Amino acid sequence: MAAAVLLTAIHPIAPASAQGVQAQAQAPAQAPGGAPVIERILVEGAQRIEPDTIRTYLHVEEGDRFAPDRIDRSLKDLFATGLFADVSLRREGNDLVVVVVENPIINRVAFEGNKRIQNEALSPEVQLRPRAVFTRSKVQDDVKRILEVYRRSGRYAVAVDPKIIELPQNRVDLVFEIDEGPATYVRRITFVGNKAFSDSDLRSVIATKEERWYRLLSSSDTFDPDRLTYDRELLRRYYLENGYADFEVRAAAAELTPDRESFFLTFTVNEGDRYRVGAVDIEASLEDLTPEMLRPAVLIEEGDWYDASLIDRTVEDITERVGSLGYAFVDVRPQIKRDREANTISITFDVREGPRVFVERIEIEGNVRTLDEVIRREIQLVEGDAFNSAKLRRSRQRIRDLGYFKTVEVTNEPVVDKPDRTVITVDVEEQSTGELSFGVGWSSSLGALVEVGIRERNLLGRGQDLSMRLSWAERRTELDLSFTEPYFLDRPIAAGFDLFAVDRDLQDESSHQLRQQGGSLRFGYKYNERWRHDFKYTLQRQEIFDVEDDASLFIQEQEGTEVLSMLGHALTYDTRDSRLIPSEGYRFQIANDLAGLGGDARFLRTDLEASYHYPLGDEFNWDPEWVIGVRGHAGYILGLGEDVSIRHRYFLGGNNLRGFAASGAGARDRGTGDALGGNWIVDGSLELRVPLGLPEELGLGAKLFTDWGTSGVPDGVPDEDLDHDVSLRGSVGVGLLWSSPLGPVNIELATPVVKQPYDEEEFFRLSFGSRF
């Protein structure tokens, strides 16, 4: 869209060329040979600029002849300076008169009418600044820049009208009047040439989305030409990961409707044939290195569908494995050979010695608040190390995973005159790391709840994490203060402390209330990317109070205060692709707690937990949201010279056995029905996440699940006083998950299929929370 420029405050004077230099009546001086010469050069109209400065741009001097070509060049050069709105040269007798109209000086640059994009985002885009010289060409360039900013945000109906306000002393205020217009949405996205995947499949791959009412909190349905380029790359990756090695996007066209309010996008693709993996070989030319030593690093097998991403990951894994074997310089190149008749691709990983390059220095740029050492300790290379591209890629990912930076760019450049040296440059753009949260919600187990929290993930730019949270619910009140130093004593050891105070209402389950106050010291470290070991010491005061008069005698006798002093550790192996919603990988953890190092409680507790997630979409060529998951947990607590208090026992039901109320399954007092818990527990679940076929932006998903478990009896309670059976309990159910704009909503309907008469059921569970 063109933008009109209105500059009404400037009244240009028609320029004169060298041919407009007028002769006067008096007889001019003449050079030898009869040509007239310039006796004086007079400058008129100069205000800020010295006349002598103007004369330096001329190609003639006093005493020179009136040469039309040199005077014409002088005129052009004066205009080219950008200092003048108008310039004219004329001859008066033997004088050359230069008349200038100076361009004004900008006093202020302002934006009006902009609501969607703030001044802070527009100001860096314009060239003109206060105290700069005003020129028409620069104004036109700035208008184009502003239009481009709005187009990148999806607004193609924007109009920009620059105005000037004249001020004394040849100064002006420059005002860009902006009519933002409506957002330009993507009305329809179509694909031409696709056969293997439907239009709806490919729409879920690209970042641009079609306009829908439920995308009101997203900008993905507005047109962005940069995003369109990214979409081409996403389509290419998707096809290459599914065996289509010859795939190409032939065209990506965006057609603007006549009303300039929406776009039609059309992607023309050529899928090509689908390939399977043929022979997979390794060739190693390094001394004492055999292909068999590298075979475990190969992630792709003969007969698999070709997947370019697995080849890239294999290159990284081979590079890392070779480096761990002591080879500092290595170059891994995958050699691809197509058999178009058999539709197979043979792959040979050529492992050879790479160029001998060392790290000269590491430069960190762009960090204003974050200390250099916070970034440097995530880089797996130091000055003097042999350069390793795989370590450089991992370093980039580790810096991004900090979450402190909006963008992270890690590059390396050779040193001039030192071909065996390279300089690593880390360029970051910081983002806000402070969080203030407020939550409201309701859950079946806690009732209505309110939560307020504050957190700083990069305290004082040192990478430290400080948080405080206060939550109140009908059946629980909790206050937490937590601090973590991720590199304790300048080593990769995460150390910190927690302070907490919790009041829990357990009247419905066990006819009492529980108050816990205390703190813990913790530290942990990673053996590698998958193994982690954590240690914790906890000291807390626990009080059972407000025990009902008709409560179980085994609870009444435990009323009072206990001091817990406990040392624990947890060893974890985790290969999951996500900690929140995993779709692939497994996790195993063993944890032990020992209480009795002081305090009143004395016990030894052991917990084993494992989970596994597998994407069925990869196996059966289904939607990738089909994911099956299995989880298992077993725990045992042993009293050391005394019975285990109800405060520390295991309870079955609720979150670990849906379909049963919290503490609804397991040992109960036969007379009062109070849940007493047990000294051991075994529970597990099998869950299948099912896609609903709805747009991804709705955030809706479904699941089918079955839970099973059993638990033991408590110490010190005679069998004749218990309702208990160690037989398995089981349930089946369905659930709906909604990642709503205000927070996660989880609705679960479950019913027991194996239970005992004294167990308490819970058919419906709802949890709702919001953070904003």
Side-chain angles (χ1 to χ4, degrees):
M1 173 184 295
V5 179
L6 180 61
L7 302 173
T8 57
I10 296 181
H11 307 283
I13 301 174
S17 64
Q19 286 77 8
V21 179
Q22 301 174 354
Q24 301 298 312
Q26 66 265 29
Q30 294 183 347
V37 299
I38 301 173
E39 293 185 357
R40 292 184 303 173
I41 298 178
L42 305 178
V43 178
E44 297 179 357
Q47 298 181 27
R48 300 184 314 273
I49 304 171
E50 294 293 330
D52 288 341
T53 302
I54 296 175
R55 292 187 181 97
T56 61
Y57 291 102
L58 302 178
H59 292 272
V60 293
E61 298 179 354
E62 294 177 353
D64 290 347
R65 291 181 298 131
F66 281 92
D69 57 335
R70 294 169 66 184
I71 293 178
D72 191 52
R73 291 204 310 271
S74 301
L75 179 68
K76 294 177 179 178
D77 286 355
L78 284 172
F79 268 117
T81 63
L83 299 173
F84 309 105
D86 189 31
V87 178
S88 64
L89 282 77
R90 69 174 186 269
R91 175 181 170 187
E92 292 184 357
N94 294 338
D95 298 335
L96 177 63
V97 181
V98 181
V99 181
V100 297
V101 177
E102 294 181 356
N103 275 325
I105 294 295
I106 296 176
N107 177 67
R108 182 174 63 97
V109 178
F111 304 92
E112 293 182 358
N114 53 312
K115 298 178 181 178
R116 301 290 179 179
I117 301 180
Q118 301 302 314
N119 293 355
E120 292 75 12
L122 293 176
S123 295
E125 298 293 334
V126 299
Q127 302 178 68
L128 294 172
R129 296 284 188 272
R131 295 183 297 277
V133 178
F134 174 92
T135 65
R136 293 179 177 85
S137 60
K138 288 183 178 180
V139 171
Q140 292 283 12
D141 291 341
D142 286 347
V143 167
K144 294 178 182 178
R145 290 173 181 266
I146 295 172
L147 291 173
E148 184 61 30
V149 172
Y150 272 93
R151 286 169 180 168
R152 289 200 302 266
S153 67
R155 292 185 175 268
Y156 275 71
V158 63
V160 181
D161 188 9
K163 300 284 184 65
I164 65 169
I165 302 174
E166 292 184 343
L167 301 174
Q169 300 178 353
N170 201 25
R171 295 177 300 121
V172 295
D173 286 343
L174 175 61
V175 180
F176 292 98
E177 293 184 355
I178 302 173
D179 180 5
E180 295 180 325
T184 311
Y185 293 100
V186 177
R187 186 177 302 175
R188 187 173 67 242
I189 302 175
T190 56
F191 298 86
V192 177
N194 55 310
K195 299 177 181 178
F197 302 102
S198 65
D199 282 17
S200 60
D201 291 336
L202 298 182
R203 289 191 194 103
S204 66
V205 172
I206 62 177
T208 303
K209 305 298 180 183
E210 292 181 337
E211 177 188 5
R212 294 292 185 271
W213 64 267
Y214 49 78
R215 296 194 175 107
L216 65 130
L217 298 179
S218 171
S219 62
S220 60
D221 56 351
T222 58
F223 178 72
D224 184 345
D226 294 334
R227 190 189 297 133
L228 187 63
T229 302
Y230 180 54
D231 288 338
R232 297 173 65 117
E233 176 63 17
L234 290 177
L235 287 171
R236 189 187 71 86
R237 292 180 189 176
Y238 181 72
Y239 272 92
L240 289 179
E241 290 173 359
N242 286 278
Y244 294 88
D246 297 329
F247 172 80
E248 62 176 340
V249 180
R250 291 184 170 176
E255 181 182 356
L256 184 62
T257 58
D259 59 9
R260 310 186 70 85
E261 292 185 358
S262 57
F263 272 91
F264 294 93
L265 302 187
T266 303
F267 293 89
T268 304
V269 302
N270 178 25
E271 293 180 331
D273 295 328
R274 194 179 190 189
Y275 291 84
R276 288 191 180 272
V277 176
V280 180
D281 297 319
I282 300 176
E283 294 182 358
S285 58
L286 296 176
E287 186 178 357
D288 299 329
L289 185 68
T290 63
E292 290 71 22
M293 299 169 65
L294 305 177
R295 182 65 61 177
V298 178
L299 303 177
I300 193 167
E301 299 179 358
E302 184 175 352
D304 291 346
W305 289 114
Y306 175 79
D307 187 339
S309 65
L310 287 181
I311 295 178
D312 293 337
R313 287 169 54 190
T314 298
V315 170
E316 293 182 10
D317 288 355
I318 291 177
T319 303
E320 182 176 358
R321 182 174 287 267
V322 173
S324 65
L325 295 174
Y327 297 89
F329 306 97
V330 62
D331 184 18
V332 181
R333 298 183 181 181
Q335 308 292 337
I336 305 296
K337 184 178 180 181
R338 284 182 175 83
D339 186 342
R340 300 188 184 277
E341 294 183 0
N343 283 350
T344 60
I345 295 180
S346 299
I347 307 168
T348 301
F349 294 96
D350 186 10
V351 184
R352 64 181 67 180
E353 186 176 11
R356 292 181 170 270
V357 178
F358 297 87
V359 178
E360 173 81 5
R361 65 181 183 275
I362 299 174
E363 298 179 349
I364 299 175
E365 301 174 352
N367 54 316
V368 178
R369 180 167 173 264
T370 305
L371 302 180
D372 280 6
E373 65 183 55
V374 173
I375 302 173
R376 189 175 290 272
R377 65 195 182 194
E378 301 298 331
I379 302 174
Q380 298 188 321
L381 294 166
V382 297
E383 285 85 351
D385 279 359
F387 177 75
N388 186 305
S389 58
K391 287 186 176 181
L392 190 67
R393 285 191 294 269
R394 287 199 303 274
S395 300
R396 181 191 301 113
Q397 189 59 48
R398 286 165 62 96
I399 297 173
R400 288 174 177 169
D401 290 345
L402 290 174
Y404 306 157
F405 309 108
K406 185 182 301 182
T407 59
V408 177
E409 297 294 335
V410 181
T411 58
N412 64 288
E413 297 290 340
V415 179
V416 179
D417 300 331
K418 293 182 180 180
D420 63 337
R421 301 285 176 173
T422 188
V423 175
I424 297 176
T425 302
V426 181
D427 191 358
V428 299
E429 181 182 354
E430 292 185 320
Q431 64 181 3
S432 175
T433 55
E435 300 174 6
L436 177 63
S437 63
F438 174 75
V440 294
W442 183 86
S443 75
S444 301
S445 57
L446 299 176
L449 61 91
V450 177
E451 180 178 299
V452 180
I454 185 171
R455 182 183 182 190
E456 173 53 61
R457 296 181 291 109
N458 187 15
L459 186 64
L460 302 177
R462 298 179 179 274
Q464 299 164 338
D465 192 332
L466 177 65
S467 65
M468 184 174 67
R469 180 174 62 92
L470 172 64
S471 64
W472 175 89
E474 292 181 72
R475 304 187 60 197
R476 187 190 69 187
T477 302
E478 184 173 357
L479 174 64
D480 294 292
L481 176 66
S482 177
F483 174 80
T484 301
E485 167 56 67
Y487 273 77
F488 184 61
L489 300 178
D490 292 328
R491 297 181 180 274
I493 298 175
F497 66 83
D498 303 289
L499 299 175
F500 54 86
V502 184
D503 272 13
R504 299 180 62 193
D505 183 352
L506 302 173
Q507 296 288 354
D508 291 345
E509 297 93 340
S510 303
S511 302
H512 71 277
Q513 295 193 64
L514 177 64
R515 177 173 295 145
Q516 298 170 305
Q517 300 166 334
S520 61
L521 299 174
R522 50 184 164 76
F523 73 93
Y525 59 93
K526 287 186 175 182
Y527 291 110
N528 51 42
E529 295 298 322
R530 295 178 176 178
W531 282 102
R532 180 175 181 84
H533 207 169
D534 294 284
F535 297 86
K536 179 187 287 188
Y537 171 74
T538 302
L539 179 65
Q540 68 178 13
R541 175 182 178 272
Q542 299 183 339
E543 180 184 3
I544 292 179
F545 66 101
D546 199 12
V547 179
E548 296 288 342
D549 294 336
D550 58 352
S552 169
L553 293 177
F554 305 105
I555 297 177
Q556 291 186 30
E557 66 185 16
Q558 296 189 41
E559 185 174 11
T561 302
E562 175 190 85
V563 175
L564 172 68
S565 175
M566 183 174 66
L567 180 65
H569 85 102
L571 180 64
T572 307
Y573 183 76
D574 194 347
T575 68
R576 296 173 302 170
D577 57 350
S578 171
R579 293 182 180 181
L580 297 178
I581 307 178
S583 59
E584 186 175 3
Y586 53 91
R587 177 182 182 271
F588 173 79
Q589 183 181 80
I590 179 172
N592 300 102
D593 295 309
L594 175 63
L597 307 176
D600 302 320
R602 287 171 173 78
F603 61 81
L604 175 64
R605 180 168 58 201
T606 299
D607 287 277
L608 298 175
E609 187 170 1
S611 63
Y612 176 71
H613 296 83
Y614 183 76
L616 295 177
D618 292 347
E619 185 70 24
F620 301 103
N621 198 26
W622 294 350
D623 189 298
E625 293 184 17
W626 286 87
V627 177
I628 190 168
V630 60
R631 179 197 65 83
H633 166 252
Y636 182 79
I637 185 169
L638 173 66
L640 301 178
E642 61 182 34
D643 294 338
V644 177
S645 167
I646 192 174
R647 304 172 180 88
H648 311 300
R649 296 174 192 157
Y650 295 103
F651 290 87
L652 184 64
N655 289 331
N656 59 6
L657 189 62
R658 290 163 289 188
F660 293 81
S663 305
R668 314 186 78 83
D669 187 300
R670 181 166 293 171
T672 66
D674 289 330
L676 300 179
N679 283 27
W680 58 266
I681 190 173
V682 177
D683 62 271
S685 64
L686 179 66
E687 187 171 288
L688 175 65
R689 292 209 307 267
V690 180
L692 296 177
L694 299 174
E696 182 180 347
E697 290 75 21
L698 284 178
L700 286 173
K703 60 183 178 181
L704 308 174
F705 61 85
T706 178
D707 292 349
W708 294 84
T710 183
S711 63
V713 298
D715 288 338
V717 181
D719 290 344
E720 60 269 19
D721 294 324
L722 286 175
D723 277 328
H724 181 66
D725 190 328
V726 296
S727 62
L728 279 174
R729 272 73 158 180
S731 65
V732 295
V734 298
L736 180 67
L737 303 96
W738 179 33
S739 298
S740 74
L742 298 180
V745 176
N746 196 338
I747 302 173
E748 294 171 328
L749 306 177
T751 182
V753 292
V754 178
K755 66 183 183 69
Q756 295 299 321
Y758 50 82
D759 291 337
E760 295 184 2
E761 302 180 20
E762 183 183 70
F763 175 71
F764 174 79
R765 287 185 68 84
L766 168 67
S767 60
F768 169 79
S770 65
R771 304 176 71 90
F772 50 90

